[in-house]
Amino acid sequence: MTAVLVLLAIIAILVFWGVGVYNRIVALRNYFKNAFSQIDVQLKRRYDLIPNLVETAKAYMAHERETLEAVIGARNQAVDANKKAAGDPADAVAFRQMVAADGVLSTSLGKFFALSEAYPDLKANQTMMQLSEELTSTENRIAFARQGYNDSVMSYNTVIEQFPGSLIANSCGFKTAELLESTETPEERKAIKVTF
C-alpha cells in the first residue's frame, strides 16, 4: 500500500512538473508573439507614412520617378509580407520573407533620402520635415520593439532547447522562433553615394 502511494505521489509530481513546464513554454511563446505585434504596430505606422512622404516629394523630385516608384513598390511588398508574418509569427518562412522585404524597403528609403538631400526646397518643405521626423521616430520605435522581440524569442528558445523543457517542447510540437536579424550584405551597409 505504501509503495502504491509513493508511486502515485511520484506520478503526481511528474504530472504537475510537466504541466508547469508546458505552461511556461506557452507563456513565453505568447510573450514573443506579443512582442511581434508591437513591431507590427510600428511597421504599419511606417507603411502609412511612406506614401505621404513620396507624395510630398513628387513635386520636387519629378525626374526621380524611378526612385519614388521603387519606394512605393518596396513598401507594398513589405506590407504583404508583414501581413503573412503577422498571421503567424512562428512561421519561419513568412517571417524570413518579411525580414527580406523590410530590408528592401529600408534600402529604398535610404536611396530616397540620399537623393532628397540634393533638393534644398524639398528639405525645407514643412510637410517633408514633419514626415521625415515622424518616420525617424517610428524607425527608432521599430528598433526598440525589435530588441524586445529578440529578447522574448531568446527566452522562449532557451527554455524549449534546454533540458527538461526540451522534453515537453519536442513532445508537444513547439518549434524555435526566428530572431530578427539584419539581412543586409556588407555591400549594402556601405554609405550610399549620390552623384549628378
Side-chain angles (χ1 to χ4, degrees):
M1 183 70 171
T2 306
V4 171
L5 289 176
V6 170
L7 182 62
L8 287 175
I10 291 172
I11 291 172
I13 289 170
L14 289 174
V15 167
F16 283 118
W17 168 82
V19 168
V21 171
Y22 178 85
N23 288 339
R24 177 163 164 74
I25 292 171
V26 169
L28 290 171
R29 181 182 61 188
N30 289 337
Y31 286 139
F32 94 74
K33 285 183 175 183
N34 178 56
F36 181 84
S37 69
Q38 300 305 316
I39 295 171
D40 187 45
V41 167
Q42 297 306 323
L43 288 175
K44 286 178 182 169
R45 176 179 162 82
R46 177 192 199 197
Y47 301 149
D48 291 344
L49 288 171
I50 290 171
N52 295 332
L53 192 68
V54 170
E55 194 61 37
T56 301
K58 273 185 182 177
Y60 298 94
M61 298 173 67
H63 65 281
E64 301 291 349
R65 185 171 179 82
E66 185 177 306
T67 301
L68 298 173
E69 288 174 355
V71 170
I72 292 298
R75 177 232 179 236
N76 292 340
Q77 288 178 344
V79 167
D80 291 341
N82 185 51
K83 284 180 186 175
K84 290 176 188 170
D88 182 11
D91 180 359
V93 173
F95 189 81
R96 284 188 205 113
Q97 289 173 345
M98 184 202 72
V99 170
D102 190 61
V104 170
L105 177 58
S106 293
T107 301
S108 296
L109 280 173
K111 290 177 182 175
F112 170 81
F113 282 115
L115 283 173
S116 70
E117 291 294 318
Y119 296 90
D121 291 340
L122 177 60
K123 285 175 36 178
N125 180 293
Q126 191 65 30
T127 304
M128 184 68 172
M129 289 181 356
Q130 181 183 359
L131 289 169
S132 296
E133 186 176 314
E134 285 184 48
L135 190 60
T136 300
S137 172
T138 300
E139 293 294 337
N140 291 336
R141 290 179 190 160
I142 291 170
F144 185 73
R146 284 179 177 163
Q147 180 181 356
Y149 172 82
N150 280 344
D151 290 345
S152 297
V153 166
M154 185 186 70
S155 296
Y156 169 77
N157 285 347
T158 300
V159 168
I160 70 168
E161 291 173 355
Q162 286 181 338
F163 184 81
S166 61
L167 294 175
I168 303 296
N170 290 335
S171 64
C172 295
F174 290 98
K175 296 178 182 151
T176 58
E178 296 280 327
L179 290 169
L180 272 171
E181 297 174 346
S182 176
T183 59
E184 292 179 327
T185 64
E187 187 65 31
E188 290 173 327
R189 291 179 192 225
K190 291 182 181 177
I192 299 170
K193 290 185 179 182
V194 179
T195 56
F196 291 97

